[in-house]
């Protein structure tokens, strides 16, 4: 069971191309991948990371059995983002999956209505 689950959204102009570049860059770290449409799930020894290309960006979700593995997977994804993108974001905000902004995996984040 994956107790430490986090999610984030990164705005990208070509998310499908980015996911493929990320797959190649992380090749030595994950055991295998599962592809389902526009989502690619990377299976690690102690967790997983799912990346889904959505209009205008990339939705990422990671889950791990312990906090150390969770952070290691997050760092691997963040380093890939900073190495691949010419203009990477200043900060990547990860949210615990239970408290993530109200979005579904197939859509861009919505601004909260006040």
């Amino acid at each position: 069971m994956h107790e430490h689950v986090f999610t984030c959204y990164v705005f990208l102009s070509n998310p499908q191309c980015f996911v493929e570049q990320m797959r190649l860059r992380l090749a030595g770290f994950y055991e295998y991948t599962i592809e389902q449409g526009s989502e690619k799930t990377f299976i690690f020894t102690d967790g997983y990371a799912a990346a889904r290309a959505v209009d205008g960006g990339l939705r990422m979700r990671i889950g791990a059995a312990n906090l150390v593995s969770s952070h290691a997977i997050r760092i691997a994804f963040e380093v890939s983002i900073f190495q691949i993108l010419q203009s990477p974001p200043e900060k990547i905000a990860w949210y615990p999956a239970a408290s993530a902004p109200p979005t579904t995996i197939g859509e861009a984040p919505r601004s909260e209505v006040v």
Side-chain angles (χ1 to χ4, degrees), residues 47-111:
Y48 71 91
R52 177 180 286 232
V54 295
D55 290 336
L58 182 72
R59 164 78 57 210
M60 292 185 288
R61 180 180 179 96
I62 62 110
N66 59 63
L67 199 54
V68 172
S69 296
S70 170
H71 284 305
I73 294 169
R74 286 168 48 183
I75 290 169
F77 270 73
E78 289 176 6
V79 168
S80 293
I81 289 169
F82 291 124
Q83 290 176 343
I84 293 170
L85 297 179
Q86 292 179 358
S87 299
E90 288 183 24
K91 179 182 176 184
I92 299 171
W94 292 89
Y95 299 95
S99 65
T103 60
T104 62
I105 196 80
E107 65 183 3
R110 293 176 267 176
S111 58

Side-chain angles (χ1 to χ4, degrees), residues 4-65:
H4 302 278
V5 181
F6 296 89
T7 186
C8 78
Y9 180 87
V10 179
F11 291 100
L12 297 171
S13 59
N14 190 348
Q16 293 86 0
C17 181
F18 176 80
V19 171
E20 182 59 23
Q21 290 177 14
M22 188 171 54
R23 182 188 67 79
L24 296 171
R25 187 168 298 277
L26 295 174
F29 298 104
Y30 60 84
E31 294 181 7
Y32 60 94
T33 61
I34 300 169
E35 293 185 45
Q36 294 178 333
S38 64
E39 182 172 292
K40 189 172 299 246
T41 302
F42 301 83
I43 305 299
F44 295 87
T45 302
D46 295 331
Y48 71 91
R52 177 180 286 232
V54 295
D55 290 336
L58 182 72
R59 164 78 57 210
M60 292 185 288
R61 180 180 179 96
I62 62 110

